[in-house]
Amino acid sequence: MQDEKVCADAVSMMADAGIRLTDRERGEIELAGFGLDNFEREGLALVVYVNGDRYCAKELVLFAGQTCPEHRHPPVELEDGRTDPGKQETFRCRAGSVYLYVEGAGDAGGIKAKVPSGSEAYYTVFHEVVLTPGDQYTIPPNTLHWFQAGPEGAVVSEFSSTSRDELDVFTDPRIQRVEAQEG
Amino acid sequence: MQDEKVCADAVSMMADAGIRLTDRERGEIELAGFGLDNFEREGLALVVYVNGDRYCAKELVLFAGQTCPEHRHPPVELEDGRTDPGKQETFRCRAGSVYLYVEGAGDAGGIKAKVPSGSEAYYTVFHEVVLTPGDQYTIPPNTLHWFQAGPEGAVVSEFSSTSRDELDVFTDPRIQRVEAQEG
């Protein structure tokens, strides 16, 4: 039951941002909790528009203060012998605000986000990029990053190369990327 | 002067669809007239969010009844010796409606769009896909397609593989893909 409410709230945030979904998409919203059993603190809702062997596009929804834990998208050996350097992704903020952290200058003491309490050891990069509607940022392959919604939550469009979520490498060793949960 | 008004109208349509642009993006809106000197009839406005060697994302704006002429995205020989099969693209309607035509069953007599008068010879595919907000359709590489906005115009997000507009092959031999025009 809680999942239905969470999905409805995510749909409402997207609607407020002008984003319309089909009935099928509403039924396939993924609530990613990363196996941490604290979705409100570390988690996000997402809709996959398209994901193939060439490109991917998703809509991400984070509620106020919600955090997507630190991770990177590692290189992948492809079936044809080539190496994919890892997923590259462009985040474009559609509504609300998002505090994005990537490798580079910055420290835990001077950032706008609040690192989830008790998980400090698993947040190690603090170069801050603040995105508000219309802003975007491209994260290179195999680069550690994490992000947290501001006080109004955030709706973020993600444009990327092929997405292989199951291969993501998280800094927090407790994390296992879970399968899609039907809303 | 007219260009400024057209760009302002495109920005307004995007804003009504909840899409915010940066000042820089507003200044870089491309008005594609395809060298036909009849932008209101055959043309579209577009904003390129990101276009690299892995993926591309754009926002397309068509005014009421405006048409993007028939074309395909051919295979491309890459510098490393591989062959790109041609741009694959996913159109997702954000606002208004769009009549999309691709190769397949269908004929000129039974479609919702009006083929631009005098250009009938250059519109040859009529398999109709009608997209309204939340609907999307993926066009395979090297496949002929064209599209026209419905009576309210259309705002369409395009997710795709790398975009190389200058290589597009148009059915109308008069068309030359023009360089970006600053708004």
Side-chain angles (χ1 to χ4, degrees):
Chain A
M1 291 301 105
Q2 187 195 9
D3 282 3
E4 280 184 22
K5 183 183 182 313
V6 171
C7 287
D9 288 346
V11 168
S12 174
M13 280 181 62
M14 284 186 272
D16 288 345
I19 294 167
R20 293 272 295 277
L21 302 182
T22 62
D23 289 343
R24 182 178 167 189
E25 288 168 336
R26 276 192 286 269
E28 293 178 348
I29 292 173
E30 179 182 350
L31 303 180
F34 306 101
L36 294 175
D37 285 329
N38 198 340
F39 176 80
E40 290 182 20
R41 198 179 72 154
E42 290 172 281
L44 78 166
L46 53 99
V47 179
V48 180
Y49 290 144
V50 57
N51 184 29
D53 61 358
R54 306 185 72 185
Y55 57 87
C56 177
K58 301 178 182 178
E59 215 75 66
L60 313 180
V61 178
L62 291 93
F63 299 108
Q66 204 179 19
T67 302
C68 178
E70 184 176 290
H71 64 285
R72 61 185 170 84
H73 307 289
V76 184
E77 295 295 324
L78 302 178
E79 289 184 4
D80 64 3
R82 288 185 302 125
T83 300
D84 178 308
K87 183 189 181 201
Q88 175 177 312
E89 56 195 19
T90 301
F91 286 168
R92 184 175 181 90
C93 183
R94 298 293 194 174
S97 61
V98 64
Y99 310 136
L100 170 65
Y101 299 92
V102 296
E103 299 175 18
D107 61 78
I111 63 172
K112 288 190 163 62
K114 290 182 183 172
V115 173
S117 174
S119 295
E120 289 82 356
Y122 312 125
Y123 289 82
T124 68
V125 300
F126 301 104
H127 183 74
E128 185 173 73
V129 181
V130 178
L131 302 177
T132 58
D135 296 330
Q136 66 179 44
Y137 188 84
T138 296
I139 301 164
N142 206 21
T143 299
L144 284 170
H145 59 285
W146 61 281
F147 48 99
Q148 184 175 91
E152 327 83 17
V155 179
V156 177
S157 295
E158 180 188 295
F159 317 125
S160 74
S161 57
T162 302
S163 188
R164 300 177 180 91
D165 292 343
E166 69 283 5
L167 301 181
D168 292 350
V169 177
F170 286 85
T171 306
D172 186 340
R174 301 168 299 177
I175 289 180
Q176 35 187 326
R177 189 72 165 90
V178 294
E179 291 297 301
Q181 295 168 337
E182 296 292 322
Chain B
M1 292 302 105
Q2 186 196 8
D3 282 4
E4 281 183 22
K5 182 183 183 313
V6 171
C7 287
D9 288 347
V11 167
S12 174
M13 280 181 62
M14 285 186 272
D16 287 346
I19 294 167
R20 294 272 295 276
L21 302 181
T22 61
D23 289 343
R24 182 179 166 189
E25 289 169 336
R26 277 193 285 271
E28 292 178 349
I29 292 174
E30 180 182 350
L31 302 179
F34 307 101
L36 294 175
D37 285 330
N38 198 340
F39 176 80
E40 290 181 20
R41 197 178 72 154
E42 290 174 280
L44 77 166
L46 54 98
V47 179
V48 180
Y49 290 144
V50 57
N51 184 27
D53 61 359
R54 306 185 72 184
Y55 58 87
C56 176
K58 302 178 182 179
E59 215 75 68
L60 313 180
V61 178
L62 291 93
F63 299 109
Q66 204 178 20
T67 302
C68 178
E70 184 176 291
H71 65 287
R72 60 185 170 84
H73 307 289
V76 184
E77 296 295 324
L78 302 178
E79 289 183 4
D80 65 4
R82 288 185 302 124
T83 300
D84 178 307
K87 182 191 182 200
Q88 175 177 313
E89 56 194 19
T90 301
F91 287 168
R92 185 176 179 88
C93 184
R94 299 294 193 172
S97 61
V98 64
Y99 310 135
L100 170 65
Y101 299 92
V102 296
E103 299 175 20
D107 61 78
I111 62 172
K112 287 190 165 64
K114 290 183 182 170
V115 173
S117 175
S119 295
E120 289 82 356
Y122 313 126
Y123 289 82
T124 68
V125 300
F126 302 103
H127 183 73
E128 185 172 74
V129 181
V130 178
L131 302 177
T132 58
D135 296 331
Q136 66 180 43
Y137 187 86
T138 296
I139 301 164
N142 205 22
T143 299
L144 284 171
H145 60 284
W146 62 280
F147 49 99
Q148 184 176 90
E152 328 82 18
V155 180
V156 177
S157 295
E158 180 188 294
F159 317 125
S160 75
S161 57
T162 303
S163 188
R164 300 177 180 90
D165 292 343
E166 69 283 6
L167 301 182
D168 292 350
V169 177
F170 286 85
T171 306
D172 186 340
R174 300 167 301 179
I175 289 180
Q176 35 188 327
R177 190 73 165 88
V178 293
E179 292 297 303
Q181 296 168 339
E182 297 291 322

